[in-house]
Each structure stands twice: as structure tokens, then as C-alpha cells.
Amino acid sequence: MQDTSGPNVKVSIIGGSGYTGAELLRLLLFHPLVEVVSVTSRQFEGQKVTEVFPHFSKSPYEDLIFENYYPDKVAQNSDVVFCCLPHKAAFPIVKELNEVNPKLKIIDFSADFRFKSVTKYEEVYGVKHTAKELFEKVAYGLPEINREEIKKKNIIANPGCYPTSIILGLYPAKVNNLIDPSFPIIADSKSGVTGAGRKSSLAFTYCEINESFKAYSIEGHRHAPEIAEKLDLTSIRFTPHLVPMNRGILSTIYFKTNVTKEELRRIYKEFYKNEYFIRLKNNPPKTSDVAGTNFCDIYVTKDEENNLGIVISVIDNIGKGASGQAIQNMNIICGFPEGMGLTVFSQWI
Ligand SMILES: NC(=O)C1=CN([C@@H]2O[C@H](COP(=O)(O)OP(=O)(O)OC[C@H]3O[C@@H](n4cnc5c(N)ncnc54)[C@H](OP(=O)(O)O)[C@@H]3O)[C@@H](O)[C@H]2O)C=CC1
Ligand SMILES: CC(=O)N[C@@H](CCC(=O)OP(=O)(O)O)C(=O)O
């Protein structure tokens, strides 16, 4: 539980009433060196966090109240700000906070700073980015592939949930040149409904989702270019699906390779041998194995007949896919042990 007696890192959460904000609040309760000093929401301004999220009753959040967002107050009273806003809404806020306090550490959950260039962002997201001067201050926050860069930067672009599962599943094969480019890489992913955020629209009502599942954005999803850029690929065939569960992403990834199953497994094991949050499995993992945690469970095998490497990668979309990863990034930029507060295991059933 949070220790409020010591010299803690002061944390604010912008957009704390959504799914990632709520999960961040939950996970931060396990962090010994953090104090949540403010949390913002427009809808719930003035309401107690424990009224909006009754599961936090009797937690250290009893006196915490959702506030309106005041940039000066947030930037001056915090060491770290987690920005949990939708993409397009985040970049003006990140810009403003950085102007008020250029030393402020900001971890942005949106897609607004994930690409290397503003041009690519504007092409994929279809809006003009008005904070392009910040790009050089930003690191892409996937620690397992970008840790050294993250250590040097004040602003972290937390990756998308699908990209986290797919990049971690493919990276060892890609950097070891195990992928034969004569066949496309195919990533077929299934996500729980929290992936869509805590908004109400017809497509996300109970009867539309329950007992059924569907593919979507088949002709092009905004995460495909993010995945391609970080893996240095010209393209990837990515098909997301929405499945009737609250949390979790399971990605099944196929690539042509001439390497044997044993060799693939040996290479993945070697690549991730020092990565606490990557668990290589001997059997295909389930989303419930990682629910509520910062783990990414990966299973590697090969279809010898078709010469296809197959990787199954599972994460919790609001854990390693968002709030857990954001805390991992905070630990890195604050100089804390990387897993501090994150050794939380799944409830499983
Ligand atoms: N859900 C997931 O699995 C993942 C989400 N992400 C990213 O994290 C971010 C947050 O996602 P999530 O928590 O799911 O989203 P939610 O829709 O659940 O929450 C969004 C939050 O932002 C606030 N908000 C919404 N629109 C605006 C706006 N225009 N200006 C200011 N505040 C706004 C809302 O509160 P209020 O309306 O009360 O102000 C709410 O607190 C997004 O960028 C998302 O893409 C990244 C990885 C995984
Ligand atoms: C199920 C579902 O709708 N998922 C979202 C991705 C959520 C996410 O994490 O992506 P960003 O951080 O880039 O928003 C989608 O397909 O757009």
C-alpha cells in the first residue's frame, strides 16, 4: 500500500475517470513511493473518487476528489503526470504542461507522440499536430525494446495495447533476421471491451457484445503503422477482433521462417532472459493468466509443414497494454527498480 509518510513522488492523473485511469489508481496502491496528489475529470468534477469508484472505499484515496484540470496547478504540484486522455485530446495538454514546467515527467497514454514523425501522425490520425517541437523530447515507452532511450527522456509515449502484444511477440524474430520476407507477417488479435474505453455507444452495449464476436477495421487499423514503424517493417497484415470479455488481448502472429521450432524457442529465451515481465510459456497462454498484471506471456512454436513461425502473445490491455506499462516507464524515468509496485499476479479465475 502507498506510504504517505516519506518523500514520495507526487503523481497526477489527467483523465482519471476512464478505464486506464481507474486501473492506474488501483495499481499505484501497490507502489511504495508514490502519492497521488490530483486526479482530473470533467464529468465527475467535485465528486469523491470513492463515490465514482466505490471499490476504492477505505483505500488511501478516501480524501481524493476529481478536479477540473488546471495546468499550472498540475504542473507545479506534481513530479509525474499520467495523461490518460483520448488521442487528439492529449497533445494540447502535454504541450501546455511542458510549457509550464519543462522538467515535468509526462507519461502519455494516447497515440499523439508514438510515431517518430509528426507527418506520419497527421497522415494516420487525420489531424494537425500542434506540438511537433516536443517530438525530440519523447521516447516510445516499450521498455523491453527501448529502455536506454526511455531513461534519457522526460516525455514517454506509452504504446498502444495491440502494438505492445504484437511488437513483443515479434521483436526477437525480427532483430535476429528470422523472418523470410517472401510471405506477409500476419497478426490476428482479439481484445476485451475495455480496449475501446469507458464510453457508451450502441456498438458497446451488452447485447451487442455478449455471446458474439467480430473483426473490425480490417481494411486498415491505426495500430498497423505503429507496429510496422517500431518493427521496421514495410507492412503487416493486422486484423483486430472485439471479444466479449472485460480485459485482455491475445495476438496470434504468423511469419515465414526457415528456422526450426527448437531454434526459435532458444532465440526467444535468450532474447528475453533478463526481462521480468516477459514469461515464455510451454503451452499456449490464456488472457486470464495475465489479467490485472504487467506480464506479457508468450508461446512460440512452428508449423513445419507450412514453414510458419507462430507466436501467441497475451497481455492485459489495461495492464501491460496501458497502466502497468506506464508505471514501469515511471519507474525507469524516476530511477526506481523497474518492477516496483508491479509484482502483482493475476486473480486467474
Ligand atoms: N483502454 C485501453 O485498453 C487502452 C487505452 N489506451 C489509451 O489510453 C487513453 C485513455 O483510454 P481509456 O482510459 O480507455 O479511455 P476512457 O474513454 O475510458 O477515458 C478517457 C478519459 O479522458 C477524459 N476525456 C475524454 N475526452 C476528453 C477530452 N476531449 N478532453 C479532456 N478529457 C477527456 C474522460 O473523462 P471526463 O469525460 O470525465 O473528463 C476520461 O477520464 C486513450 O488515449 C487510449 O487510446 C492505451 C492502451 C490501452
Ligand atoms: C477494442 C478496441 O476498440 N480497441 C481500440 C484500441 C485501444 C488502444 O489501446 O489503443 P490506443 O491506445 O491507440 O487507443 C481500437 O481498436 O481502437
Side-chain angles (χ1 to χ4, degrees), residues 182-250:
S182 67
F183 186 80
I185 298 169
I186 298 171
D188 177 280
S189 300
K190 286 100 188 162
S191 171
V193 185
T194 50
R198 201 176 179 218
K199 52 183 173 267
S200 57
S201 72
L202 183 63
F204 298 107
T205 52
Y206 181 79
C207 293
E208 304 288 325
I209 300 279
N210 188 41
E211 295 291 345
S212 176
F213 86 105
K214 65 172 185 182
Y216 66 99
S217 300
I218 300 158
E219 280 80 23
H221 188 283
R222 62 199 170 79
H223 284 171
E226 182 182 331
I227 298 161
E229 180 180 278
K230 304 311 167 192
L231 287 167
D232 202 14
L233 302 169
T234 45
S235 75
I236 179 161
R237 174 59 251 165
F238 168 55
T239 307
H241 300 73
L242 188 66
V243 300
M245 60 184 184
N246 292 342
R247 302 166 175 250
I249 285 183
L250 187 150

Side-chain angles (χ1 to χ4, degrees), residues 83-332:
C83 185
C84 301
L85 302 177
H87 43 263
K88 303 178 190 173
F91 67 76
I93 305 261
V94 172
K95 182 182 164 92
E96 195 167 45
L97 289 170
N98 181 261
E99 275 165 9
V100 181
N101 179 1
K103 291 202 172 130
L104 188 67
K105 295 174 168 42
I106 304 173
I107 299 170
D108 180 30
F109 283 46
S110 82
D112 288 0
F113 295 94
R114 289 181 195 154
F115 286 113
K116 288 181 188 151
S117 81
V118 156
T119 321
K120 188 75 186 171
Y121 173 83
E122 291 180 345
E123 180 193 314
V124 175
Y125 285 85
V127 283
K128 191 160 169 46
H129 202 300
T130 57
K132 67 165 136 200
E133 69 284 0
L134 290 185
F135 274 65
E136 63 185 34
K137 296 186 173 188
V138 177
Y140 187 69
L142 191 50
E144 288 76 9
I145 70 163
N146 206 27
R147 186 171 286 116
E148 293 313 308
E149 183 77 5
I150 294 168
K151 285 181 191 165
K152 295 183 211 146
K153 298 291 167 77
N154 264 0
I155 305 176
I156 306 302
N158 226 43
C161 47
Y162 287 122
T164 296
S165 75
I166 294 165
I167 297 167
L168 291 175
L170 268 173
Y171 207 75
K174 172 65 186 164
V175 295
N176 286 289
N177 290 320
L178 310 181
I179 303 174
D180 178 340
S182 67
F183 186 80
I185 298 169
I186 298 171
D188 177 280
S189 300
K190 286 100 188 162
S191 171
V193 185
T194 50
R198 201 176 179 218
K199 52 183 173 267
S200 57
S201 72
L202 183 63
F204 298 107
T205 52
Y206 181 79
C207 293
E208 304 288 325
I209 300 279
N210 188 41
E211 295 291 345
S212 176
F213 86 105
K214 65 172 185 182
Y216 66 99
S217 300
I218 300 158
E219 280 80 23
H221 188 283
R222 62 199 170 79
H223 284 171
E226 182 182 331
I227 298 161
E229 180 180 278
K230 304 311 167 192
L231 287 167
D232 202 14
L233 302 169
T234 45
S235 75
I236 179 161
R237 174 59 251 165
F238 168 55
T239 307
H241 300 73
L242 188 66
V243 300
M245 60 184 184
N246 292 342
R247 302 166 175 250
I249 285 183
L250 187 150
S251 294
T252 309
I253 308 159
Y254 308 87
F255 55 91
K256 188 170 174 190
T257 185
N258 294 319
V259 179
T260 63
K261 175 168 80 182
E262 290 68 30
E263 188 60 357
L264 269 178
R265 287 183 174 167
R266 190 194 63 72
I267 289 167
Y268 270 69
K269 201 167 166 193
E270 175 63 22
F271 190 86
Y272 284 133
K273 69 179 178 209
N274 296 320
E275 296 297 344
Y276 177 74
F277 292 114
I278 309 290
R279 301 189 298 196
L280 290 171
K281 311 302 287 185
N282 294 327
N283 293 295
K286 307 185 292 300
T287 52
S288 58
D289 298 340
V290 294
T293 82
N294 196 47
F295 289 112
C296 173
D297 284 3
I298 294 176
Y299 174 73
V300 180
T301 190
K302 187 168 181 201
D303 172 348
E304 301 286 0
E305 213 177 309
N306 292 297
N307 231 16
L308 286 179
I310 304 174
V311 176
I312 316 270
S313 164
V314 297
I315 58 167
D316 183 335
N317 55 295
I318 51 174
K320 180 65 174 164
S323 307
Q325 183 134 271
I327 295 173
Q328 191 179 353
N329 282 317
M330 175 193 74
N331 285 338
I332 295 171

